[in-house]
Each structure stands twice: as C-alpha cells, then as structure tokens.
Amino acid sequence: MGSYTRPGRLEDALTALRERPRTVLAGGTDHYPARVAHTPDEAILDVTALPELAGIRRDPDGALVIGATATWGQIIAAALPPACDGLKAAAREVGGVQIQNRGTVGGNLCNASPAADGVPALLSLDAEIELASLDGVRRLPLDRFVLGNRRTDRRPDELLTAIRIPAAALDGRSRFLKLGARRYLVISIVMVAGTMTVAQDGTIAAVRLAVGACSAAALRLRDLEAALLGRPAGDAAATVHATHLAGLQPIDDVRADAGYRREAAGVLVRRCLSELAAA
C-alpha cells in the first residue's frame, strides 16, 4: 500500500492532487473489490471528510446540487420533486442497501462504467458536473464528462465536487427502467431514463431520454427528443423509430448479445414514453 491522506479542507485536497497523482476514494464500493487479488502501490486521497462535497441542497437559482459524496441512500431519502422520481428509482437499483448507503453519486460517475445505473437518470435531468482544482472551478454537461468505458474528462489535479441539475429540468415527470437477468442485485443489460413535461393542451413541451448499457457511455437520444417536441403525449411511444436508436453501439457479452440489447432498448424506450404520458 502507498500513502493515505484524508484532508478536512477542500484546498488541502486540491493541493494534494496537484502534488502527485492520487487515487480518489469515497464510498470504496468499487475501489476495494477491484483490489482483492492485487493491491497496487498507490497514493490514496480519501475525500469523505470534505464538507463541501457532502449533502443535497437547492441553490438560490433553483438548481438542485448533489454533493459528490452524497450517497444513493441519501438520494432515496431526500425530499425531491417528481422530476427526480427516475433518479430515485435508479438509486434503488445500485446494488443492495449496504452499497446504497456507502456508494457515492460522484464515485459512480467517476468510475464511468457503461452499466452505471445513475448515469442515464442524471442525463435525463440535464445534469452538469462541477470540477474543482487550484486553478478554479469548471462545469460541463454530464455527457461531456463521461467519455467512455472507465474514461472521464477529469484531469489528474481535479476533484469532482458536485452534480448540478438546473431548475428548468426539475419540472414534469420522470421514469427509470432497467432490464437485468433478475430483479435485484444485477448489472444492467439495458437501462432507459426519461423526463417529460406536458403542456396544458396535452402536447410535449420538453422531453429528455437516455439509454445506458448499450454504448461505451450512456447516450442521450437527441434526435428522438427533437421529433417528440410538440406532439401529443399519447402519441409519444408510436413516434419511436429504429433510426432514433442508430447511435447505440451495444456489445455482445455474458449478459446479452448486441441484437437483443438493441431490440430491448427500443421496447424500454417506448415503455418509458408510455408511462411518462400516462403519469
């Protein structure tokens, strides 16, 4: 084992990251299982004592701010608007209760697994990532942060401090659907998350859809979103065409083959839209 540092101030954590490469540790639910057979000589930066990374709050501009070390259990327990129901449903799929009470939202994103349950739900909420370094703070959309399988845009001297959901994305309703080999404690075959706002005349005023576990990184279905705007909500599911899923790049693995994943993604997208329209 290498060095272990657990600072109590954000500035000290950022200084440590500037000094040398370090492995950032939060809940540890992915960190420790990956080191059962082999323990690398690595410098650990434990961020669990940083108050700036904790909690869930609303900013004065109405944005929902989820601290990077907020746990999935805290997401489940928080009083959030109906637009976050899909995020809560995704949180309940992150392992078992023990994992939900230890695993952090920021860690789930930085781990950047294609099958990470939280990513599609946050994409459907138009989430932004906040990254801090000694040079300052930068923000970028979640789909520009997670670049692929275990790859993110975080620089070695940066720390993910928060996930921000803009106030405009907190209107309407949301859903999260997951297909796995069994009901609980399973890695996803396909995931679909969606949010929808319906105008008084019954047409779709806003919609965001994301598919996970069918590409190296979860993917927003922006062409489908554009096609749905202004249509009657009840017609949403019938609008889905195979071309709207063309950007997906599913793989064959032990859980499912690519063809099954693509077909299942279409079914879940239609089901998600039907549920959103009927909510």
Side-chain angles (χ1 to χ4, degrees), residues 59-123:
D59 264 5
D61 63 0
L64 178 68
V65 182
I66 303 170
T69 58
T71 66
W72 294 106
Q74 289 171 334
I75 292 288
I76 294 168
L80 301 178
C84 292
D85 287 350
L87 179 61
K88 283 177 171 279
R92 294 186 182 96
E93 298 287 349
V94 180
V97 174
Q98 298 95 327
I99 297 296
Q100 293 162 14
N101 288 339
R102 287 294 303 171
T104 64
V105 180
N108 190 255
L109 302 184
C110 288
N111 193 48
S113 166
D117 294 308
V119 177
L122 288 167
L123 280 176

Tab-separated table of all heavy atoms in Angstrom, residues 59-123:
chain	number	residue	atom	x	y	z
A	59	ASP	N	-29.812	25.562	-4.762
A	59	ASP	CA	-29.144	26.846	-4.899
A	59	ASP	C	-30.171	27.968	-5.002
A	59	ASP	O	-31.349	27.716	-5.305
A	59	ASP	CB	-28.257	26.838	-6.148
A	59	ASP	CG	-26.810	26.499	-5.820
A	59	ASP	OD1	-26.527	26.191	-4.646
A	59	ASP	OD2	-25.961	26.542	-6.734
A	60	PRO	N	-29.759	29.224	-4.776
A	60	PRO	CA	-30.706	30.335	-4.903
A	60	PRO	C	-31.366	30.407	-6.278
A	60	PRO	O	-32.500	30.895	-6.395
A	60	PRO	CB	-29.827	31.567	-4.639
A	60	PRO	CG	-28.730	31.058	-3.756
A	60	PRO	CD	-28.458	29.662	-4.230
A	61	ASP	N	-30.683	29.928	-7.331
A	61	ASP	CA	-31.272	29.959	-8.668
A	61	ASP	C	-32.226	28.791	-8.921
A	61	ASP	O	-32.768	28.651	-10.024
A	61	ASP	CB	-30.183	29.977	-9.741
A	61	ASP	CG	-29.320	28.713	-9.741
A	61	ASP	OD1	-29.562	27.811	-8.912
A	61	ASP	OD2	-28.394	28.627	-10.580
A	62	GLY	N	-32.439	27.953	-7.901
A	62	GLY	CA	-33.363	26.836	-8.019
A	62	GLY	C	-32.735	25.535	-8.445
A	62	GLY	O	-33.415	24.500	-8.457
A	63	ALA	N	-31.455	25.542	-8.797
A	63	ALA	CA	-30.780	24.311	-9.206
A	63	ALA	C	-30.664	23.356	-8.025
A	63	ALA	O	-30.503	23.782	-6.865
A	63	ALA	CB	-29.398	24.617	-9.761
A	64	LEU	N	-30.749	22.082	-8.310
A	64	LEU	CA	-30.537	21.043	-7.310
A	64	LEU	C	-29.059	20.656	-7.353
A	64	LEU	O	-28.539	20.288	-8.411
A	64	LEU	CB	-31.409	19.827	-7.605
A	64	LEU	CG	-31.257	18.633	-6.662
A	64	LEU	CD1	-31.777	18.979	-5.268
A	64	LEU	CD2	-31.999	17.415	-7.209
A	65	VAL	N	-28.390	20.750	-6.220
A	65	VAL	CA	-26.959	20.457	-6.141
A	65	VAL	C	-26.768	19.212	-5.284
A	65	VAL	O	-27.125	19.183	-4.112
A	65	VAL	CB	-26.166	21.646	-5.542
A	65	VAL	CG1	-24.678	21.325	-5.509
A	65	VAL	CG2	-26.423	22.912	-6.359
A	66	ILE	N	-26.209	18.182	-5.888
A	66	ILE	CA	-25.918	16.923	-5.199
A	66	ILE	C	-24.425	16.865	-4.962
A	66	ILE	O	-23.629	16.834	-5.911
A	66	ILE	CB	-26.372	15.715	-6.040
A	66	ILE	CG1	-27.867	15.812	-6.358
A	66	ILE	CG2	-26.057	14.412	-5.329
A	66	ILE	CD1	-28.334	14.797	-7.380
A	67	GLY	N	-24.009	16.877	-3.696
A	67	GLY	CA	-22.597	16.786	-3.391
A	67	GLY	C	-22.015	15.469	-3.890
A	67	GLY	O	-22.688	14.439	-3.910
A	68	ALA	N	-20.743	15.503	-4.277
A	68	ALA	CA	-20.117	14.319	-4.867
A	68	ALA	C	-20.105	13.139	-3.906
A	68	ALA	O	-20.140	11.986	-4.338
A	68	ALA	CB	-18.691	14.646	-5.313
A	69	THR	N	-20.047	13.391	-2.594
A	69	THR	CA	-20.021	12.287	-1.632
A	69	THR	C	-21.401	11.968	-1.064
A	69	THR	O	-21.515	11.164	-0.143
A	69	THR	CB	-19.045	12.582	-0.477
A	69	THR	OG1	-19.413	13.800	0.173
A	69	THR	CG2	-17.610	12.689	-0.981
A	70	ALA	N	-22.451	12.587	-1.609
A	70	ALA	CA	-23.808	12.164	-1.244
A	70	ALA	C	-23.992	10.714	-1.675
A	70	ALA	O	-23.558	10.305	-2.753
A	70	ALA	CB	-24.841	13.051	-1.919
A	71	THR	N	-24.638	9.915	-0.846
A	71	THR	CA	-24.817	8.502	-1.155
A	71	THR	C	-26.144	8.280	-1.875
A	71	THR	O	-27.042	9.123	-1.857
A	71	THR	CB	-24.790	7.649	0.118
A	71	THR	OG1	-25.948	7.969	0.921
A	71	THR	CG2	-23.520	7.888	0.921
A	72	TRP	N	-26.251	7.105	-2.472
A	72	TRP	CA	-27.510	6.758	-3.128
A	72	TRP	C	-28.626	6.595	-2.102
A	72	TRP	O	-29.796	6.892	-2.393
A	72	TRP	CB	-27.329	5.492	-3.958
A	72	TRP	CG	-26.401	5.734	-5.099
A	72	TRP	CD1	-25.104	5.308	-5.216
A	72	TRP	CD2	-26.669	6.504	-6.276
A	72	TRP	NE1	-24.559	5.757	-6.391
A	72	TRP	CE2	-25.493	6.495	-7.060
A	72	TRP	CE3	-27.784	7.195	-6.739
A	72	TRP	CZ2	-25.412	7.154	-8.281
A	72	TRP	CZ3	-27.709	7.855	-7.955
A	72	TRP	CH2	-26.527	7.823	-8.714
A	73	GLY	N	-28.288	6.157	-0.910
A	73	GLY	CA	-29.283	6.093	0.151
A	73	GLY	C	-29.828	7.470	0.492
A	73	GLY	O	-31.023	7.626	0.780
A	74	GLN	N	-28.970	8.490	0.467
A	74	GLN	CA	-29.426	9.852	0.729
A	74	GLN	C	-30.310	10.368	-0.397
A	74	GLN	O	-31.265	11.112	-0.147
A	74	GLN	CB	-28.213	10.761	0.931
A	74	GLN	CG	-27.494	10.496	2.249
A	74	GLN	CD	-26.181	11.241	2.356
A	74	GLN	OE1	-25.541	11.585	1.365
A	74	GLN	NE2	-25.751	11.484	3.589
A	75	ILE	N	-30.016	9.980	-1.633
A	75	ILE	CA	-30.892	10.340	-2.754
A	75	ILE	C	-32.280	9.745	-2.534
A	75	ILE	O	-33.308	10.413	-2.705
A	75	ILE	CB	-30.305	9.824	-4.083
A	75	ILE	CG1	-29.003	10.567	-4.439
A	75	ILE	CG2	-31.330	9.931	-5.210
A	75	ILE	CD1	-29.198	11.983	-4.879
A	76	ILE	N	-32.340	8.479	-2.146
A	76	ILE	CA	-33.622	7.805	-1.922
A	76	ILE	C	-34.426	8.507	-0.832
A	76	ILE	O	-35.642	8.671	-0.935
A	76	ILE	CB	-33.391	6.328	-1.571
A	76	ILE	CG1	-32.783	5.578	-2.768
A	76	ILE	CG2	-34.679	5.649	-1.121
A	76	ILE	CD1	-32.255	4.195	-2.430
A	77	ALA	N	-33.732	8.927	0.225
A	77	ALA	CA	-34.419	9.504	1.386
A	77	ALA	C	-34.756	10.980	1.226
A	77	ALA	O	-35.593	11.511	1.964
A	77	ALA	CB	-33.564	9.312	2.639
A	78	ALA	N	-34.139	11.662	0.270
A	78	ALA	CA	-34.297	13.108	0.148
A	78	ALA	C	-35.682	13.484	-0.362
A	78	ALA	O	-36.323	12.729	-1.108
A	78	ALA	CB	-33.226	13.672	-0.792
A	79	ALA	N	-36.142	14.659	0.048
A	79	ALA	CA	-37.397	15.208	-0.455
A	79	ALA	C	-37.109	15.921	-1.771
A	79	ALA	O	-36.681	17.074	-1.791
A	79	ALA	CB	-37.995	16.172	0.563
A	80	LEU	N	-37.334	15.232	-2.874
A	80	LEU	CA	-37.019	15.752	-4.198
A	80	LEU	C	-38.307	15.881	-5.012
A	80	LEU	O	-39.283	15.179	-4.760
A	80	LEU	CB	-36.036	14.819	-4.920
A	80	LEU	CG	-34.695	14.582	-4.225
A	80	LEU	CD1	-33.850	13.601	-5.022
A	80	LEU	CD2	-33.945	15.904	-4.033
A	81	PRO	N	-38.324	16.748	-6.022
A	81	PRO	CA	-39.537	16.915	-6.840
A	81	PRO	C	-39.807	15.679	-7.691
A	81	PRO	O	-38.921	14.845	-7.901
A	81	PRO	CB	-39.195	18.132	-7.704
A	81	PRO	CG	-37.709	18.191	-7.732
A	81	PRO	CD	-37.252	17.684	-6.409
A	82	PRO	N	-41.042	15.548	-8.216
A	82	PRO	CA	-41.392	14.366	-9.019
A	82	PRO	C	-40.477	14.147	-10.218
A	82	PRO	O	-40.328	13.009	-10.678
A	82	PRO	CB	-42.828	14.662	-9.463
A	82	PRO	CG	-43.363	15.553	-8.402
A	82	PRO	CD	-42.206	16.407	-7.968
A	83	ALA	N	-39.860	15.200	-10.726
A	83	ALA	CA	-38.942	15.048	-11.853
A	83	ALA	C	-37.747	14.175	-11.488
A	83	ALA	O	-37.050	13.673	-12.383
A	83	ALA	CB	-38.460	16.412	-12.336
A	84	CYS	N	-37.518	13.987	-10.197
A	84	CYS	CA	-36.389	13.159	-9.741
A	84	CYS	C	-36.823	11.747	-9.358
A	84	CYS	O	-36.013	10.982	-8.821
A	84	CYS	CB	-35.702	13.819	-8.549
A	84	CYS	SG	-34.855	15.355	-8.959
A	85	ASP	N	-38.069	11.388	-9.625
A	85	ASP	CA	-38.522	10.030	-9.307
A	85	ASP	C	-37.691	8.982	-10.050
A	85	ASP	O	-37.407	7.904	-9.526
A	85	ASP	CB	-39.997	9.860	-9.644
A	85	ASP	CG	-40.924	10.584	-8.669
A	85	ASP	OD1	-40.423	11.063	-7.627
A	85	ASP	OD2	-42.127	10.676	-8.959
A	86	GLY	N	-37.322	9.275	-11.281
A	86	GLY	CA	-36.481	8.352	-12.033
A	86	GLY	C	-35.111	8.198	-11.404
A	86	GLY	O	-34.560	7.093	-11.365
A	87	LEU	N	-34.554	9.292	-10.902
A	87	LEU	CA	-33.261	9.225	-10.223
A	87	LEU	C	-33.377	8.388	-8.954
A	87	LEU	O	-32.487	7.584	-8.647
A	87	LEU	CB	-32.776	10.637	-9.895
A	87	LEU	CG	-31.446	10.740	-9.154
A	87	LEU	CD1	-30.309	10.135	-9.969
A	87	LEU	CD2	-31.138	12.200	-8.807
A	88	LYS	N	-34.462	8.553	-8.210
A	88	LYS	CA	-34.669	7.742	-7.012
A	88	LYS	C	-34.801	6.262	-7.368
A	88	LYS	O	-34.268	5.390	-6.666
A	88	LYS	CB	-35.915	8.213	-6.263
A	88	LYS	CG	-35.742	9.495	-5.453
A	88	LYS	CD	-37.055	9.900	-4.817
A	88	LYS	CE	-36.877	11.045	-3.834
A	88	LYS	NZ	-36.395	10.595	-2.528
A	89	ALA	N	-35.524	5.970	-8.458
A	89	ALA	CA	-35.669	4.579	-8.890
A	89	ALA	C	-34.317	3.997	-9.275
A	89	ALA	O	-34.018	2.831	-8.967
A	89	ALA	CB	-36.642	4.502	-10.063
A	90	ALA	N	-33.480	4.789	-9.943
A	90	ALA	CA	-32.137	4.319	-10.290
A	90	ALA	C	-31.311	4.075	-9.033
A	90	ALA	O	-30.550	3.098	-8.947
A	90	ALA	CB	-31.446	5.344	-11.192
A	91	ALA	N	-31.457	4.952	-8.042
A	91	ALA	CA	-30.707	4.798	-6.796
A	91	ALA	C	-31.039	3.474	-6.112
A	91	ALA	O	-30.160	2.837	-5.509
A	91	ALA	CB	-31.006	5.964	-5.865
A	92	ARG	N	-32.280	3.051	-6.209
A	92	ARG	CA	-32.689	1.784	-5.584
A	92	ARG	C	-32.123	0.574	-6.314
A	92	ARG	O	-32.191	-0.547	-5.797
A	92	ARG	CB	-34.213	1.705	-5.536
A	92	ARG	CG	-34.853	2.738	-4.618
A	92	ARG	CD	-36.354	2.526	-4.491
A	92	ARG	NE	-36.961	3.547	-3.645
A	92	ARG	CZ	-37.535	4.655	-4.102
A	92	ARG	NH1	-37.577	4.868	-5.411
A	92	ARG	NH2	-38.061	5.537	-3.276
A	93	GLU	N	-31.584	0.779	-7.515
A	93	GLU	CA	-31.004	-0.322	-8.292
A	93	GLU	C	-29.490	-0.432	-8.117
A	93	GLU	O	-28.864	-1.334	-8.677
A	93	GLU	CB	-31.324	-0.135	-9.781
A	93	GLU	CG	-32.799	-0.141	-10.111
A	93	GLU	CD	-33.424	-1.520	-10.011
A	93	GLU	OE1	-32.667	-2.505	-9.880
A	93	GLU	OE2	-34.658	-1.626	-10.063
A	94	VAL	N	-28.891	0.484	-7.373
A	94	VAL	CA	-27.436	0.468	-7.183
A	94	VAL	C	-27.101	-0.539	-6.091
A	94	VAL	O	-27.081	-0.218	-4.900
A	94	VAL	CB	-26.904	1.872	-6.817
A	94	VAL	CG1	-25.393	1.829	-6.634
A	94	VAL	CG2	-27.266	2.872	-7.907
A	95	GLY	N	-26.873	-1.789	-6.481
A	95	GLY	CA	-26.538	-2.823	-5.517
A	95	GLY	C	-27.653	-3.033	-4.508
A	95	GLY	O	-28.830	-2.806	-4.777
A	96	GLY	N	-27.254	-3.465	-3.302
A	96	GLY	CA	-28.189	-3.629	-2.202
A	96	GLY	C	-28.155	-2.416	-1.298
A	96	GLY	O	-27.480	-1.422	-1.563
A	97	VAL	N	-28.874	-2.497	-0.191
A	97	VAL	CA	-28.968	-1.359	0.725
A	97	VAL	C	-27.598	-0.975	1.272
A	97	VAL	O	-27.294	0.218	1.426
A	97	VAL	CB	-29.941	-1.695	1.876
A	97	VAL	CG1	-29.936	-0.594	2.926
A	97	VAL	CG2	-31.350	-1.894	1.332
A	98	GLN	N	-26.742	-1.964	1.547
A	98	GLN	CA	-25.414	-1.641	2.077
A	98	GLN	C	-24.624	-0.796	1.077
A	98	GLN	O	-23.966	0.184	1.452
A	98	GLN	CB	-24.630	-2.922	2.397
A	98	GLN	CG	-25.280	-3.797	3.457
A	98	GLN	CD	-26.140	-4.883	2.838
A	98	GLN	OE1	-26.743	-4.691	1.785
A	98	GLN	NE2	-26.195	-6.035	3.486
A	99	ILE	N	-24.698	-1.175	-0.202
A	99	ILE	CA	-23.993	-0.420	-1.231
A	99	ILE	C	-24.610	0.966	-1.384
A	99	ILE	O	-23.894	1.975	-1.523
A	99	ILE	CB	-24.014	-1.175	-2.569
A	99	ILE	CG1	-23.275	-2.513	-2.444
A	99	ILE	CG2	-23.409	-0.332	-3.682
A	99	ILE	CD1	-21.802	-2.383	-2.148
A	100	GLN	N	-25.920	1.050	-1.352
A	100	GLN	CA	-26.597	2.343	-1.480
A	100	GLN	C	-26.209	3.284	-0.351
A	100	GLN	O	-26.135	4.508	-0.549
A	100	GLN	CB	-28.113	2.136	-1.498
A	100	GLN	CG	-28.616	1.403	-2.728
A	100	GLN	CD	-30.003	0.838	-2.553
A	100	GLN	OE1	-30.716	1.186	-1.609
A	100	GLN	NE2	-30.407	-0.060	-3.449
A	101	ASN	N	-25.948	2.745	0.826
A	101	ASN	CA	-25.604	3.584	1.977
A	101	ASN	C	-24.121	3.947	2.038
A	101	ASN	O	-23.728	4.784	2.854
A	101	ASN	CB	-26.005	2.886	3.278
A	101	ASN	CG	-27.513	2.875	3.473
A	101	ASN	OD1	-28.224	3.676	2.886
A	101	ASN	ND2	-27.996	1.952	4.291
A	102	ARG	N	-23.301	3.329	1.177
A	102	ARG	CA	-21.874	3.650	1.127
A	102	ARG	C	-21.467	4.274	-0.202
A	102	ARG	O	-20.655	5.193	-0.252
A	102	ARG	CB	-21.029	2.390	1.355
A	102	ARG	CG	-21.033	1.880	2.785
A	102	ARG	CD	-20.361	2.863	3.721
A	102	ARG	NE	-18.976	3.159	3.316
A	102	ARG	CZ	-18.232	4.127	3.864
A	102	ARG	NH1	-18.739	4.908	4.795
A	102	ARG	NH2	-16.987	4.322	3.462
A	103	GLY	N	-22.008	3.735	-1.294
A	103	GLY	CA	-21.622	4.224	-2.614
A	103	GLY	C	-22.059	5.657	-2.832
A	103	GLY	O	-23.170	6.058	-2.462
A	104	THR	N	-21.196	6.456	-3.448
A	104	THR	CA	-21.475	7.875	-3.646
A	104	THR	C	-21.854	8.157	-5.095
A	104	THR	O	-21.463	7.441	-6.023
A	104	THR	CB	-20.253	8.733	-3.281
A	104	THR	OG1	-19.171	8.413	-4.173
A	104	THR	CG2	-19.819	8.474	-1.843
A	105	VAL	N	-22.605	9.231	-5.277
A	105	VAL	CA	-23.017	9.624	-6.623
A	105	VAL	C	-21.789	10.007	-7.447
A	105	VAL	O	-21.634	9.580	-8.596
A	105	VAL	CB	-24.022	10.782	-6.566
A	105	VAL	CG1	-24.451	11.196	-7.969
A	105	VAL	CG2	-25.234	10.388	-5.731
A	106	GLY	N	-20.898	10.798	-6.860
A	106	GLY	CA	-19.690	11.202	-7.581
A	106	GLY	C	-18.813	10.020	-7.951
A	106	GLY	O	-18.247	9.970	-9.048
A	107	GLY	N	-18.700	9.060	-7.051
A	107	GLY	CA	-17.893	7.880	-7.342
A	107	GLY	C	-18.472	7.064	-8.479
A	107	GLY	O	-17.738	6.535	-9.325
A	108	ASN	N	-19.801	6.961	-8.531
A	108	ASN	CA	-20.472	6.231	-9.604
A	108	ASN	C	-20.156	6.853	-10.962
A	108	ASN	O	-19.923	6.146	-11.949
A	108	ASN	CB	-21.977	6.229	-9.341
A	108	ASN	CG	-22.755	5.310	-10.258
A	108	ASN	OD1	-23.414	5.766	-11.167
A	108	ASN	ND2	-22.683	4.009	-10.004
A	109	LEU	N	-20.121	8.185	-11.009
A	109	LEU	CA	-19.836	8.869	-12.266
A	109	LEU	C	-18.365	8.763	-12.639
A	109	LEU	O	-18.027	8.526	-13.807
A	109	LEU	CB	-20.252	10.333	-12.166
A	109	LEU	CG	-21.725	10.607	-11.837
A	109	LEU	CD1	-22.008	12.096	-11.877
A	109	LEU	CD2	-22.646	9.857	-12.785
A	110	CYS	N	-17.488	8.930	-11.677
A	110	CYS	CA	-16.049	8.864	-11.977
A	110	CYS	C	-15.616	7.448	-12.340
A	110	CYS	O	-14.658	7.271	-13.103
A	110	CYS	CB	-15.245	9.375	-10.789
A	110	CYS	SG	-15.358	11.168	-10.557
A	111	ASN	N	-16.294	6.456	-11.811
A	111	ASN	CA	-15.988	5.069	-12.172
A	111	ASN	C	-16.313	4.799	-13.639
A	111	ASN	O	-15.694	3.957	-14.282
A	111	ASN	CB	-16.773	4.121	-11.272
A	111	ASN	CG	-16.285	2.699	-11.354
A	111	ASN	OD1	-15.090	2.421	-11.278
A	111	ASN	ND2	-17.206	1.762	-11.536
A	112	ALA	N	-17.295	5.505	-14.165
A	112	ALA	CA	-17.612	5.536	-15.593
A	112	ALA	C	-17.842	4.156	-16.193
A	112	ALA	O	-17.374	3.860	-17.285
A	112	ALA	CB	-16.511	6.269	-16.370
A	113	SER	N	-18.592	3.331	-15.492
A	113	SER	CA	-18.984	2.048	-16.067
A	113	SER	C	-20.120	2.266	-17.073
A	113	SER	O	-21.042	3.040	-16.801
A	113	SER	CB	-19.459	1.088	-14.972
A	113	SER	OG	-20.130	-0.025	-15.528
A	114	PRO	N	-20.088	1.598	-18.220
A	114	PRO	CA	-21.198	1.728	-19.170
A	114	PRO	C	-22.539	1.305	-18.566
A	114	PRO	O	-23.593	1.734	-19.047
A	114	PRO	CB	-20.798	0.794	-20.313
A	114	PRO	CG	-19.312	0.675	-20.218
A	114	PRO	CD	-19.006	0.745	-18.752
A	115	ALA	N	-22.496	0.448	-17.523
A	115	ALA	CA	-23.714	-0.045	-16.893
A	115	ALA	C	-24.026	0.668	-15.576
A	115	ALA	O	-24.821	0.171	-14.781
A	115	ALA	CB	-23.614	-1.553	-16.656
A	116	ALA	N	-23.421	1.832	-15.345
A	116	ALA	CA	-23.677	2.580	-14.115
A	116	ALA	C	-25.132	3.046	-14.083
A	116	ALA	O	-25.583	3.778	-14.975
A	116	ALA	CB	-22.740	3.770	-14.012
A	117	ASP	N	-25.876	2.635	-13.066
A	117	ASP	CA	-27.313	2.908	-13.011
A	117	ASP	C	-27.633	4.398	-12.928
A	117	ASP	O	-28.661	4.849	-13.439
A	117	ASP	CB	-27.935	2.189	-11.812
A	117	ASP	CG	-27.889	0.669	-11.961
A	117	ASP	OD1	-28.337	0.175	-13.007
A	117	ASP	OD2	-27.394	-0.005	-11.040
A	118	GLY	N	-26.766	5.163	-12.286
A	118	GLY	CA	-27.096	6.568	-12.071
A	118	GLY	C	-26.947	7.453	-13.289
A	118	GLY	O	-27.575	8.524	-13.368
A	119	VAL	N	-26.145	7.039	-14.259
A	119	VAL	CA	-25.816	7.948	-15.358
A	119	VAL	C	-27.014	8.269	-16.252
A	119	VAL	O	-27.279	9.448	-16.525
A	119	VAL	CB	-24.629	7.407	-16.171
A	119	VAL	CG1	-24.334	8.320	-17.365
A	119	VAL	CG2	-23.383	7.288	-15.303
A	120	PRO	N	-27.785	7.283	-16.762
A	120	PRO	CA	-28.923	7.658	-17.614
A	120	PRO	C	-29.930	8.574	-16.917
A	120	PRO	O	-30.442	9.517	-17.538
A	120	PRO	CB	-29.551	6.302	-17.973
A	120	PRO	CG	-28.457	5.313	-17.812
A	120	PRO	CD	-27.643	5.818	-16.659
A	121	ALA	N	-30.211	8.292	-15.646
A	121	ALA	CA	-31.174	9.127	-14.920
A	121	ALA	C	-30.679	10.562	-14.807
A	121	ALA	O	-31.453	11.510	-14.973
A	121	ALA	CB	-31.438	8.535	-13.543
A	122	LEU	N	-29.403	10.752	-14.536
A	122	LEU	CA	-28.854	12.102	-14.435
A	122	LEU	C	-28.771	12.768	-15.794
A	122	LEU	O	-28.979	13.980	-15.916
A	122	LEU	CB	-27.480	12.054	-13.760
A	122	LEU	CG	-27.515	11.759	-12.263
A	122	LEU	CD1	-26.120	11.425	-11.737
A	122	LEU	CD2	-28.096	12.940	-11.484
A	123	LEU	N	-28.482	11.991	-16.844
A	123	LEU	CA	-28.503	12.562	-18.195
A	123	LEU	C	-29.894	13.083	-18.537
A	123	LEU	O	-30.038	14.144	-19.152
A	123	LEU	CB	-28.083	11.503	-19.211
A	123	LEU	CG	-26.595	11.213	-19.378
A	123	LEU	CD1	-26.393	10.062	-20.356
A	123	LEU	CD2	-25.841	12.445	-19.855
